[in-house]
């Protein structure tokens, strides 16, 4: 199907339509041989609360962003190279069903689909694209995925010291190594993790000690960490998506909003 759609006018038009929806804030997406395979709205479990996000699956990248006006305007574009992706199916919770985790070396997060069938289709298409891409490039699957951030509402107390209670005055912070929700006292340290960022990142006290021990052992063994390269030529890695600024954006969804009313079914691109 990819070979059939590559370099066709209809594929070029669909990619151009996606670029147009992201506007000047998005990066160019058209490349020779790149095919847009499908799209859909998934619920992404963000730091503050679950939110709808538009996702586009290409044969080499996964693109997602915030929805301003469905099929007309998106922003906060993020580009994930598929050769850096691994997937993990997750059990349902009381709040979210049909969940799975998208894991990469720079960022991992949980999404959920509107139905079990939709989840199976997404995972099937993703795995097929990843398998084909790894076979083509000769790369190995990501072995050190970043830890997903635990949502703020998952705990009312620091997950390290277990006695500091969060409030309007006592802020929650996230360790970039383990993803735990921690207080300021338990996350005073910063550590340089080249695979995640060129700048030192906030880490909890436990992870800081572990990272120091690993660094010391690496120095003694004469080894050094290999920084994560930009896996897709021509793209800068997507910036960290904390969703902190999303609360103030124009995207205001009522509690009973239908997030999955897209008229484009998964298979419509291939019919």
């Amino acid at each position: 199907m990819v070979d059939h759609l590559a370099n066709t006018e209809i594929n070029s038009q669909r990619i151009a339509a996606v670029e147009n929806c992201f506007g000047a804030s998005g990066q160019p997406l058209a490349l020779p041989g790149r095919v847009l395979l499908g799209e859909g709205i998934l619920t992404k479990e963000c730091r503050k609360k679950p939110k709808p996000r538009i996702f586009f699956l290409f044969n080499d990248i996964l693109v997602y962003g915030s929805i301003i006006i469905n099929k007309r305007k998106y922003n906060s574009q993020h580009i994930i190279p598929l050769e850096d992706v691994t997937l993990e199916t997750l059990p349902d919770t009381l709040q979210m069903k049909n969940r799975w985790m998208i894991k990469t070396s720079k960022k991992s997060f949980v999404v959920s689909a509107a139905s079990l069938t939709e989840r199976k289709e997404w995972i099937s298409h993703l795995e097929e694209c990843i398998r084909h891409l790894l076979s083509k490039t000769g790369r190995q699957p990501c072995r050190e995925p970043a830890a997903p951030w635990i949502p703020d509402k998952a705990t009312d107390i620091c997950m390290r010291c277990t006695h500091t209670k969060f409030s309007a005055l006592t802020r929650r912070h996230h360790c970039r190594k383990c993803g735990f929700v921690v207080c300021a006292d338990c996350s005073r340290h910063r550590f340089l993790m080249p695979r995640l960022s060129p700048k030192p990142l906030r880490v909890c006290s436990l992870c800081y000690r572990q990272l120091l021990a690993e660094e010391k052992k690496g120095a003694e063994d004469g080894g050094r960490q290999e920084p994560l390269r930009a896996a897709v030529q021509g793209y800068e890695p997507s910036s960290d998506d904390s969703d902190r600024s999303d609360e103030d954006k124009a995207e205001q969804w009522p509690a009973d909003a239908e997030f999955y009313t897209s008229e484009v079914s998964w298979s419509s691109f291939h019919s």
Side-chain angles (χ1 to χ4, degrees):
M1 187 58 65
V2 171
D3 293 337
H4 175 70
L5 292 173
N7 303 316
T8 62
E9 182 64 24
I10 187 64
N11 179 63
S12 298
Q13 290 175 356
R14 288 165 177 160
I15 294 178
V18 175
E19 291 179 333
N20 185 60
C21 287
F22 278 104
S25 65
Q27 296 189 46
L29 298 173
L31 281 180
R34 175 168 290 165
V35 175
L36 176 58
L37 298 175
E39 67 174 275
I41 298 177
L42 301 173
T43 298
K44 179 175 178 287
E45 297 185 14
C46 301
R47 173 181 178 177
K48 297 293 184 182
K49 61 182 179 181
K51 299 176 182 178
R53 294 287 183 261
I54 184 70
F55 281 79
F56 298 96
L57 176 61
F58 296 81
N59 58 326
D60 62 337
I61 58 174
L62 180 66
V63 178
Y64 73 93
S66 299
I67 305 168
I68 305 302
I69 304 174
N70 194 24
K71 299 187 181 297
R72 291 182 59 188
K73 186 176 182 181
Y74 309 126
N75 66 6
S76 301
Q77 184 192 74
H78 293 266
I79 298 174
I80 303 175
L82 288 181
E83 58 187 8
D84 192 37
V85 171
T86 55
L87 307 174
E88 178 184 353
T89 304
L90 300 175
D92 292 347
T93 66
L94 292 176
Q95 296 79 22
M96 307 292 292
K97 299 183 183 300
N98 310 311
R99 305 164 67 236
W100 76 95
M101 188 182 298
I102 297 173
K103 300 188 288 186
T104 80
S105 55
K106 289 183 70 66
K107 180 179 178 63
S108 301
F109 56 91
V110 176
V111 294
S112 61
S115 66
L116 182 61
T117 298
E118 187 176 331
R119 181 179 73 171
K120 289 180 179 178
E121 289 179 344
W122 268 104
I123 292 177
S124 174
H125 283 79
L126 280 163
E127 288 180 338
E128 178 62 26
C129 288
I130 293 168
R131 185 164 49 248
H132 178 77
L133 195 59
L134 291 177
S135 174
K136 182 179 179 180
T137 62
R139 288 192 62 193
Q140 296 297 313
C142 173
R143 292 194 176 94
E144 297 182 37
W149 284 18
I150 295 175
D152 285 1
K153 292 184 178 180
T155 180
D156 292 327
I157 62 173
C158 173
M159 300 177 71
R160 283 302 178 210
C161 67
T162 69
H163 62 75
T164 299
K165 293 186 177 181
F166 298 118
S167 65
L169 298 178
T170 305
R171 286 188 54 202
R172 291 171 168 83
H173 299 279
H174 278 82
C175 172
R176 270 56 171 181
K177 175 65 175 175
C178 67
F180 276 26
V181 183
V182 291
C183 65
D185 287 342
C186 289
S187 59
R188 293 185 178 278
H189 298 290
R190 301 289 189 277
F191 200 90
L192 180 62
M193 294 178 283
R195 298 185 69 86
L196 299 181
S197 172
K199 299 179 181 179
L201 300 174
R202 180 189 297 271
V203 293
C204 69
S205 51
L206 177 62
C207 286
Y208 182 70
R209 292 194 296 269
Q210 292 176 341
L211 288 166
L212 281 179
E214 291 173 4
E215 185 179 58
K216 181 179 179 181
K217 184 177 185 301
E220 292 173 350
D221 294 341
R224 66 191 186 100
Q225 289 183 322
E226 179 182 326
L228 177 70
R229 65 183 178 86
V232 176
Q233 186 176 3
Y235 286 98
E236 292 297 325
S238 299
S239 59
D240 180 65
D241 177 24
S242 68
D243 293 288
R244 189 175 300 171
S245 60
D246 284 359
E247 304 295 334
D248 302 322
K249 289 179 181 176
E251 172 194 4
Q252 297 296 327
W253 293 85
D256 59 349
E258 293 290 340
F259 296 152
Y260 303 103
T261 56
S262 173
E263 297 176 358
V264 179
S265 65
W266 183 272
S267 61
S268 66
F269 283 179
H270 306 158
S271 61

